[in-house]
Structure formats: structure tokens, C-alpha cells
Amino acid sequence: MSALARCFVKAGLRISAGLAFALALSACFASETELVGYWGADRPVAEGVYTHTPTHPDGLEWDRPTWSGSIGLSQRRYVSDAENFPHQNARFHALFDNVYIVQSPREDGVGYGLAFVYEDGAVVTYHQPSCSDVSEAVLERASVVLDAEGYCPIHDLDQLTTLMRALYVAQDGQLRIDGVYRRVSD
């Protein structure tokens, strides 16, 4: 079974079916503690009311949003009082231009992905990479060894930044989009 498939299975057992697709992918790059702290967190997403729509593996968006609610900032974390916010307590860290590393707390640690921020923070798309998306040579240079469950354990922000940049460059910026947030009002 591939690392991505293991990520789907493990996360799918822990979360509700309605959010399984959006959250199942968030675990493949992981750390035991947060690597993006208060001072390292950027705030590229505008506060307001958003909808969240996952995408199918073929790149097409689902026919309707699966979540909507107000998103705000607290302690440089994105939060919502609306139930089942897929990225509760996420922090962003600039990688370059409109590309950000996203750190999301999980039950068993912290997961990482990439986000692309558009229209002054009113539209955010995200990609939840799998360790298998990164070449073995890049993993080796970054001193990352896949664990028994197929996760890439990350130990510091420099290591994470190196891996995410390499992933982006290797794909020439053409990464699968796993979901879209759109601001619908302030």
C-alpha cells in the first residue's frame, strides 16, 4: 500500500466521513511538535466568512461546499467557531510569492501541506503532499527517513522548508489541488 493510501486509511478511521477527504491527506509530512511558532507565522488569509470545497483526485471540485463559516485569527492561528472547520488552528509560513507551508495540529502530532493564496487572501487552494511525491534523493539530502506507517517525520523548520521547496520545484508548481476556500463575505 502506498504512503498516501496509508494516510487516507489512518486518518479516515479517526474523522467524520464528511471531512475525511479534506483531512486524510494532512498527515503525510508530520512532526511531534509545532515547527511554525507565533513569531514565524504569517497571516495571508483575510478574515471573513468562507466556504470550503474539496476536489476530486481528477482535479474537479465537488459539486457543492462541504463547510462554511467565519474564519478569524487567534494567536496567529486560523480558527472558526463553526463546527468541523477542516483546518482549525492552522498556521501559515511563507515559502515564496503566494505559496505557504500550512501547519495543522492533529490528534497525534502536527501535519504540513502547501497553500496558494490569491485575491488578497480571499481565495486559498491547498495541496496535501505525500512523502512519495518527493524523490528519495531529496529525502536523503534532508535526512528524512520514512517511518513504518509511511509518514515523513520532520524535525525542524529548515528541513520542512527544504522538502516543500523541492516538492514544488520538482512538480514545476503544478501540484494537485485538494480543496478550495473562498471568502463569501467580510
Short mmCIF file of all heavy atoms in Angstrom, two decimals, residues 131-169:
data_model
loop_
_atom_site.label_atom_id
_atom_site.label_comp_id
_atom_site.label_asym_id
_atom_site.label_seq_id
_atom_site.Cartn_x
_atom_site.Cartn_y
_atom_site.Cartn_z
N CYS A 131 4.64 11.80 1.05
CA CYS A 131 6.10 11.59 1.05
C CYS A 131 6.55 11.01 -0.28
O CYS A 131 7.66 11.28 -0.73
CB CYS A 131 6.50 10.64 2.17
SG CYS A 131 6.16 11.30 3.80
N SER A 132 5.69 10.23 -0.91
CA SER A 132 6.06 9.62 -2.19
C SER A 132 6.17 10.66 -3.31
O SER A 132 6.69 10.35 -4.37
CB SER A 132 5.06 8.53 -2.56
OG SER A 132 3.77 9.08 -2.73
N ASP A 133 5.70 11.89 -3.05
CA ASP A 133 5.83 12.96 -4.04
C ASP A 133 7.24 13.53 -4.10
O ASP A 133 7.57 14.27 -5.01
CB ASP A 133 4.87 14.12 -3.71
CG ASP A 133 3.41 13.74 -3.83
OD1 ASP A 133 3.10 12.75 -4.51
OD2 ASP A 133 2.58 14.44 -3.21
N VAL A 134 8.07 13.20 -3.12
CA VAL A 134 9.43 13.73 -3.02
C VAL A 134 10.40 12.62 -3.37
O VAL A 134 10.28 11.49 -2.89
CB VAL A 134 9.71 14.28 -1.60
CG1 VAL A 134 11.12 14.81 -1.49
CG2 VAL A 134 8.70 15.34 -1.23
N SER A 135 11.38 12.93 -4.20
CA SER A 135 12.34 11.90 -4.61
C SER A 135 13.15 11.39 -3.41
O SER A 135 13.37 12.12 -2.44
CB SER A 135 13.29 12.46 -5.67
OG SER A 135 14.22 13.36 -5.09
N GLU A 136 13.61 10.16 -3.54
CA GLU A 136 14.43 9.58 -2.48
C GLU A 136 15.70 10.39 -2.26
O GLU A 136 16.16 10.53 -1.13
CB GLU A 136 14.76 8.13 -2.81
CG GLU A 136 13.56 7.21 -2.66
CD GLU A 136 13.93 5.76 -2.90
OE1 GLU A 136 15.07 5.35 -2.59
OE2 GLU A 136 13.05 5.03 -3.39
N ALA A 137 16.25 10.95 -3.34
CA ALA A 137 17.47 11.75 -3.23
C ALA A 137 17.23 12.99 -2.38
O ALA A 137 18.06 13.35 -1.53
CB ALA A 137 17.98 12.15 -4.61
N VAL A 138 16.08 13.65 -2.57
CA VAL A 138 15.75 14.84 -1.78
C VAL A 138 15.51 14.45 -0.33
O VAL A 138 15.99 15.13 0.59
CB VAL A 138 14.53 15.58 -2.37
CG1 VAL A 138 14.04 16.67 -1.43
CG2 VAL A 138 14.87 16.17 -3.73
N LEU A 139 14.79 13.37 -0.09
CA LEU A 139 14.57 12.91 1.28
C LEU A 139 15.90 12.61 1.96
O LEU A 139 16.12 13.00 3.11
CB LEU A 139 13.68 11.67 1.30
CG LEU A 139 12.23 11.86 0.89
CD1 LEU A 139 11.50 10.52 0.83
CD2 LEU A 139 11.51 12.80 1.85
N GLU A 140 16.80 11.97 1.24
CA GLU A 140 18.10 11.63 1.80
C GLU A 140 18.90 12.90 2.13
O GLU A 140 19.48 13.01 3.21
CB GLU A 140 18.87 10.75 0.83
CG GLU A 140 20.15 10.19 1.41
CD GLU A 140 20.81 9.22 0.46
OE1 GLU A 140 20.12 8.29 -0.01
OE2 GLU A 140 22.03 9.40 0.21
N ARG A 141 18.93 13.87 1.20
CA ARG A 141 19.66 15.12 1.45
C ARG A 141 19.10 15.87 2.66
O ARG A 141 19.83 16.53 3.38
CB ARG A 141 19.61 16.04 0.23
CG ARG A 141 20.63 15.72 -0.82
CD ARG A 141 20.82 16.84 -1.84
NE ARG A 141 19.58 17.31 -2.44
CZ ARG A 141 19.02 16.81 -3.54
NH1 ARG A 141 19.57 15.79 -4.15
NH2 ARG A 141 17.91 17.32 -4.02
N ALA A 142 17.80 15.75 2.89
CA ALA A 142 17.16 16.43 4.02
C ALA A 142 17.18 15.57 5.29
O ALA A 142 16.61 15.96 6.31
CB ALA A 142 15.73 16.80 3.66
N SER A 143 17.82 14.40 5.22
CA SER A 143 17.91 13.46 6.36
C SER A 143 16.54 13.02 6.85
O SER A 143 16.29 12.93 8.06
CB SER A 143 18.71 14.09 7.50
OG SER A 143 20.01 14.41 7.07
N VAL A 144 15.65 12.72 5.92
CA VAL A 144 14.31 12.24 6.27
C VAL A 144 14.22 10.76 5.93
O VAL A 144 14.54 10.35 4.81
CB VAL A 144 13.21 13.02 5.50
CG1 VAL A 144 11.84 12.41 5.76
CG2 VAL A 144 13.22 14.48 5.91
N VAL A 145 13.79 9.98 6.91
CA VAL A 145 13.60 8.55 6.72
C VAL A 145 12.13 8.26 7.00
O VAL A 145 11.62 8.58 8.08
CB VAL A 145 14.50 7.74 7.68
CG1 VAL A 145 14.25 6.26 7.53
CG2 VAL A 145 15.96 8.09 7.46
N LEU A 146 11.44 7.68 6.02
CA LEU A 146 10.03 7.34 6.21
C LEU A 146 9.88 6.42 7.40
O LEU A 146 10.70 5.51 7.60
CB LEU A 146 9.48 6.65 4.97
CG LEU A 146 8.92 7.53 3.88
CD1 LEU A 146 9.99 8.38 3.23
CD2 LEU A 146 8.19 6.71 2.86
N ASP A 147 8.83 6.67 8.20
CA ASP A 147 8.59 5.79 9.33
C ASP A 147 7.80 4.56 8.87
O ASP A 147 7.47 4.42 7.69
CB ASP A 147 7.91 6.53 10.48
CG ASP A 147 6.49 6.96 10.19
OD1 ASP A 147 5.89 6.51 9.20
OD2 ASP A 147 5.95 7.76 10.98
N ALA A 148 7.49 3.67 9.79
CA ALA A 148 6.82 2.41 9.46
C ALA A 148 5.44 2.62 8.83
O ALA A 148 4.97 1.75 8.10
CB ALA A 148 6.70 1.56 10.72
N GLU A 149 4.79 3.74 9.11
CA GLU A 149 3.46 4.00 8.56
C GLU A 149 3.51 4.79 7.25
O GLU A 149 2.48 5.14 6.70
CB GLU A 149 2.61 4.73 9.59
CG GLU A 149 2.33 3.90 10.81
CD GLU A 149 1.55 4.65 11.86
OE1 GLU A 149 1.50 5.90 11.81
OE2 GLU A 149 0.97 3.98 12.73
N GLY A 150 4.70 5.12 6.77
CA GLY A 150 4.84 5.84 5.52
C GLY A 150 4.83 7.35 5.65
O GLY A 150 4.73 8.06 4.66
N TYR A 151 4.93 7.85 6.87
CA TYR A 151 4.99 9.29 7.10
C TYR A 151 6.42 9.78 6.97
O TYR A 151 7.37 9.04 7.21
CB TYR A 151 4.48 9.64 8.51
CG TYR A 151 3.03 9.39 8.72
CD1 TYR A 151 2.57 8.15 9.13
CD2 TYR A 151 2.10 10.41 8.52
CE1 TYR A 151 1.22 7.93 9.33
CE2 TYR A 151 0.75 10.19 8.72
CZ TYR A 151 0.32 8.94 9.13
OH TYR A 151 -1.01 8.72 9.32
N CYS A 152 6.58 11.05 6.63
CA CYS A 152 7.88 11.70 6.63
C CYS A 152 8.01 12.47 7.94
O CYS A 152 7.41 13.55 8.07
CB CYS A 152 8.01 12.68 5.46
SG CYS A 152 8.33 11.93 3.87
N PRO A 153 8.71 11.95 8.93
CA PRO A 153 8.88 12.69 10.18
C PRO A 153 9.81 13.88 9.97
O PRO A 153 10.92 13.73 9.46
CB PRO A 153 9.47 11.67 11.15
CG PRO A 153 10.03 10.59 10.30
CD PRO A 153 9.35 10.64 8.97
N ILE A 154 9.33 15.07 10.34
CA ILE A 154 10.06 16.31 10.15
C ILE A 154 10.51 16.80 11.53
O ILE A 154 9.73 16.78 12.48
CB ILE A 154 9.17 17.38 9.48
CG1 ILE A 154 8.56 16.84 8.19
CG2 ILE A 154 9.95 18.66 9.23
CD1 ILE A 154 9.54 16.43 7.14
N HIS A 155 11.77 17.28 11.61
CA HIS A 155 12.33 17.65 12.90
C HIS A 155 12.54 19.14 13.10
O HIS A 155 12.64 19.60 14.23
CB HIS A 155 13.63 16.89 13.14
CG HIS A 155 13.45 15.41 13.04
ND1 HIS A 155 12.74 14.68 13.96
CD2 HIS A 155 13.81 14.53 12.08
CE1 HIS A 155 12.70 13.42 13.61
NE2 HIS A 155 13.34 13.29 12.47
N ASP A 156 12.64 19.90 12.00
CA ASP A 156 12.80 21.35 12.16
C ASP A 156 12.27 22.08 10.93
O ASP A 156 12.03 21.48 9.89
CB ASP A 156 14.24 21.73 12.48
CG ASP A 156 15.23 21.36 11.39
OD1 ASP A 156 15.02 21.73 10.22
OD2 ASP A 156 16.23 20.69 11.71
N LEU A 157 12.10 23.38 11.08
CA LEU A 157 11.51 24.19 10.02
C LEU A 157 12.40 24.24 8.78
O LEU A 157 11.89 24.24 7.65
CB LEU A 157 11.20 25.59 10.54
CG LEU A 157 10.42 26.51 9.59
CD1 LEU A 157 9.09 25.89 9.17
CD2 LEU A 157 10.20 27.87 10.27
N ASP A 158 13.72 24.27 8.95
CA ASP A 158 14.62 24.28 7.80
C ASP A 158 14.44 23.01 6.96
O ASP A 158 14.40 23.07 5.73
CB ASP A 158 16.07 24.42 8.23
CG ASP A 158 16.40 25.80 8.76
OD1 ASP A 158 15.68 26.77 8.41
OD2 ASP A 158 17.38 25.93 9.52
N GLN A 159 14.34 21.89 7.62
CA GLN A 159 14.14 20.61 6.93
C GLN A 159 12.80 20.63 6.18
O GLN A 159 12.73 20.24 5.01
CB GLN A 159 14.17 19.48 7.96
CG GLN A 159 14.05 18.10 7.39
CD GLN A 159 14.00 17.06 8.49
OE1 GLN A 159 13.29 17.22 9.48
NE2 GLN A 159 14.75 15.98 8.32
N LEU A 160 11.76 21.11 6.82
CA LEU A 160 10.43 21.20 6.20
C LEU A 160 10.46 22.13 4.99
O LEU A 160 9.93 21.80 3.93
CB LEU A 160 9.40 21.68 7.22
CG LEU A 160 7.98 21.87 6.71
CD1 LEU A 160 7.39 20.56 6.21
CD2 LEU A 160 7.11 22.47 7.82
N THR A 161 11.09 23.29 5.14
CA THR A 161 11.17 24.26 4.05
C THR A 161 11.92 23.66 2.86
O THR A 161 11.50 23.81 1.71
CB THR A 161 11.86 25.55 4.54
OG1 THR A 161 11.08 26.10 5.61
CG2 THR A 161 11.97 26.58 3.43
N THR A 162 13.02 22.98 3.12
CA THR A 162 13.79 22.33 2.06
C THR A 162 12.93 21.33 1.30
O THR A 162 12.92 21.32 0.06
CB THR A 162 15.03 21.63 2.65
OG1 THR A 162 15.87 22.60 3.25
CG2 THR A 162 15.79 20.85 1.59
N LEU A 163 12.20 20.51 2.02
CA LEU A 163 11.36 19.49 1.38
C LEU A 163 10.23 20.12 0.56
O LEU A 163 9.97 19.69 -0.57
CB LEU A 163 10.78 18.55 2.43
CG LEU A 163 11.77 17.59 3.06
CD1 LEU A 163 11.14 16.88 4.25
CD2 LEU A 163 12.25 16.58 2.03
N MET A 164 9.57 21.11 1.11
CA MET A 164 8.44 21.72 0.41
C MET A 164 8.91 22.48 -0.84
O MET A 164 8.25 22.44 -1.88
CB MET A 164 7.65 22.63 1.33
CG MET A 164 6.91 21.89 2.43
SD MET A 164 5.72 20.70 1.75
CE MET A 164 4.99 20.08 3.24
N ARG A 165 10.04 23.16 -0.75
CA ARG A 165 10.59 23.84 -1.95
C ARG A 165 10.93 22.81 -3.02
O ARG A 165 10.64 23.00 -4.20
CB ARG A 165 11.83 24.65 -1.59
CG ARG A 165 11.54 25.96 -0.94
CD ARG A 165 12.85 26.75 -0.72
NE ARG A 165 12.64 27.88 0.14
CZ ARG A 165 12.22 29.06 -0.28
NH1 ARG A 165 11.96 29.24 -1.55
NH2 ARG A 165 12.05 30.05 0.57
N ALA A 166 11.59 21.73 -2.62
CA ALA A 166 11.98 20.68 -3.57
C ALA A 166 10.75 20.05 -4.22
O ALA A 166 10.74 19.79 -5.42
CB ALA A 166 12.82 19.62 -2.87
N LEU A 167 9.73 19.83 -3.44
CA LEU A 167 8.48 19.28 -3.96
C LEU A 167 7.88 20.21 -5.00
O LEU A 167 7.50 19.78 -6.10
CB LEU A 167 7.49 19.07 -2.80
CG LEU A 167 6.08 18.69 -3.18
CD1 LEU A 167 6.03 17.26 -3.67
CD2 LEU A 167 5.16 18.88 -2.00
N TYR A 168 7.82 21.48 -4.68
CA TYR A 168 7.24 22.48 -5.59
C TYR A 168 8.05 22.57 -6.89
O TYR A 168 7.50 22.55 -7.98
CB TYR A 168 7.20 23.84 -4.89
CG TYR A 168 6.52 24.92 -5.70
CD1 TYR A 168 5.14 25.09 -5.62
CD2 TYR A 168 7.25 25.76 -6.54
CE1 TYR A 168 4.50 26.08 -6.36
CE2 TYR A 168 6.63 26.73 -7.29
CZ TYR A 168 5.26 26.89 -7.20
OH TYR A 168 4.62 27.86 -7.94
N VAL A 169 9.37 22.63 -6.76
CA VAL A 169 10.24 22.75 -7.93
C VAL A 169 10.16 21.49 -8.79
O VAL A 169 10.07 21.57 -10.02
CB VAL A 169 11.69 23.04 -7.50
CG1 VAL A 169 12.67 22.89 -8.65
CG2 VAL A 169 11.77 24.44 -6.90
#
